[in-house]
Amino acid sequence: MIVKEVLSEELLTLSEVKGMLHEIMEERLNSEEELGYELRKAINHAEMFSKTTPEKARDLVNKLLELEKMKPEIAIRIADIMPQSRDELRSLYAKERFTLTEEELDEMLDLVEEAMD
């Protein structure tokens, strides 16, 4: 597959990707097309590792982006991984040039916990 031009680019959570892959799978099954190996593996991966619904994941990303010291890439990673401890959150920020206070970490963990309910 040769890509000539990228038309648009958007950061998506794994849950959102799972939803899109399921739509593609349904379309192909309805038109009696075969699911390719790569598509089957991608669907399997998304089902195995997504931890919430696409709506809750996007809502979590939007809430996280309202916080200080939050980049879109990190918000997406947090929504994908759903960290349960301060150490897990710190590992996502390991490459950043700033550190987070305990209060900031707790606020993020509260948002993650809220999204998992």
Side-chain angles (χ1 to χ4, degrees), residues 2-95:
I2 298 174
V3 178
K4 294 182 180 182
E5 180 182 354
V6 176
L7 299 177
S8 68
E9 189 173 300
E10 181 182 352
L11 293 174
L12 297 172
T13 65
L14 192 55
S15 298
E16 291 171 319
V17 170
K18 176 183 165 186
M20 290 178 174
L21 288 173
H22 277 283
E23 289 175 14
I24 292 169
M25 182 178 74
E26 288 175 15
E27 287 174 16
R28 293 205 179 167
L29 290 175
N30 289 339
S31 64
E32 297 182 9
E33 290 181 45
E34 184 178 333
L35 298 178
Y37 172 78
E38 294 85 359
L39 179 60
R40 288 194 317 266
K41 291 301 264 184
I43 291 170
N44 185 26
H45 178 85
E47 286 178 348
M48 192 178 304
F49 293 106
S50 75
K51 298 181 179 180
T52 188
T53 65
E55 296 80 20
K56 286 185 179 180
R58 181 50 58 184
D59 188 45
L60 174 61
V61 169
N62 292 336
K63 287 179 182 177
L64 288 169
L65 287 173
E66 293 172 4
L67 300 176
E68 221 177 297
K69 299 180 183 176
M70 183 61 65
K71 295 180 179 178
E73 296 83 11
I74 295 175
I76 295 289
R77 258 188 271 151
I78 290 172
D80 285 345
I81 296 171
M82 295 287 194
Q84 299 298 305
S85 70
R86 292 177 181 167
D87 289 335
E88 290 176 357
L89 265 176
R90 281 190 194 103
S91 69
L92 295 175
Y93 274 90
K95 292 183 180 180

